[in-house]
Amino acid sequence: MVTFFRNKNAKSSVLTDMATKQLRYDSLVRAYHVEIFRYGYWLVKDKQVAEDLVQETFLRAWKSLDSLKDEKAAKSWLITILRRENARRFERKQFQYSDVEQETIEDNVTLGLEAQIERTEIRSQIAKLPEEYREPLLLQVVGGYSGDEIAELLGLNRNTVMTRLFRARSQLKEALETSSNIRGSRNG
């Protein structure tokens, strides 16, 4: 008869490893939850869908936390997971889109009516940009990524990213000027 003995040191080592992973994960969530949600919201333009995407992102992050070797790359790693989760969303089901204006996220700062209208217009015009221009622009503006980081995240050449950023800003500027002119001619 073979007898197996439990190694108490192995048990405490496993518990220590689990506690360390939990601390690492908690730190990751605290540090990046707001930014990941903000990016998710800009990507999908729906608060509930963005919340679901962020939840799925952090669930996948928990499952593969051991694969994150460089803590400095955590934000990029999470953005990549979120983008993949968003792509999976379309593989799973087709959504019914409505013409109802989406709920907006308000910062803690109270804005005047004019500033709120301006923000809504900017968001609306960004949402109308083709995805190939919108995504790099959002990564730069909302995510704070550099051209090199965006290129790595999107799997593109840096020059391609810089061209798309230039075109996105140009198209946005033109759309905002056109919109402003139309509003001005109605009011004056």
Side-chain angles (χ1 to χ4, degrees):
M1 175 180 214
V2 177
T3 308
F4 292 97
F5 296 97
R6 290 187 181 180
N7 183 344
K8 290 188 179 189
N9 287 338
K11 183 178 179 182
S12 84
S13 175
V14 168
L15 292 175
T16 301
D17 289 347
M18 287 175 60
T20 301
K21 181 177 180 180
Q22 183 66 45
L23 286 172
R24 238 179 117 201
Y25 177 76
D26 290 344
S27 296
L28 192 70
V29 172
R30 276 193 307 277
Y32 297 111
H33 184 271
V34 171
E35 291 179 66
I36 298 302
F37 174 77
R38 186 178 299 132
Y39 180 73
Y41 180 79
W42 273 94
L43 192 62
V44 299
K45 296 165 212 60
D46 182 290
K47 185 178 179 184
Q48 284 76 30
V49 174
E51 288 171 351
D52 291 345
L53 273 176
V54 170
Q55 185 174 0
E56 287 297 318
T57 296
F58 281 107
L59 177 63
R60 285 197 185 267
W62 167 259
K63 290 177 181 177
S64 59
L65 190 59
D66 294 333
S67 71
L68 178 63
K69 302 298 181 206
D70 183 7
E71 299 296 326
K72 294 175 187 168
K75 186 175 171 184
S76 298
W77 181 66
L78 289 169
I79 290 280
T80 301
I81 293 172
L82 185 128
R83 289 178 67 244
R84 288 179 182 155
E85 280 304 308
N86 187 45
R88 282 187 192 94
R89 192 169 65 100
F90 294 102
E91 292 171 1
R92 289 191 291 255
K93 62 182 176 181
Q94 295 296 318
F95 289 94
Q96 296 295 322
Y97 292 99
S98 69
D99 293 330
V100 177
E101 192 169 336
Q102 299 295 325
E103 183 177 332
T104 60
I105 297 177
E106 292 299 327
D107 289 339
N108 294 334
V109 181
T110 304
L111 298 174
L113 181 59
E114 191 173 310
Q116 287 179 359
I117 292 170
E118 188 175 296
R119 279 180 78 185
T120 301
E121 180 64 23
I122 291 170
R123 287 180 181 189
S124 172
Q125 294 301 333
I126 289 174
K128 291 177 185 177
L129 290 173
E131 185 176 349
E132 68 182 289
Y133 300 136
R134 182 178 62 241
E135 192 167 18
L137 182 64
L138 291 176
L139 285 169
Q140 185 181 56
V141 174
V142 177
Y145 289 99
S146 69
D148 291 330
E149 292 169 326
I150 295 169
E152 185 178 327
L153 277 170
L154 299 179
L156 298 171
N157 177 301
R158 182 185 187 283
N159 291 336
T160 302
V161 168
M162 299 312 287
T163 300
R164 289 182 182 183
L165 285 170
F166 175 78
R167 289 179 181 164
R169 286 190 296 271
S170 297
Q171 288 180 16
L172 181 59
K173 180 180 176 188
E174 184 178 317
L176 290 171
E177 286 172 354
T178 301
S179 174
S180 177
N181 290 338
I182 290 172
R183 266 198 325 270
S185 67
R186 289 185 194 155
N187 295 335

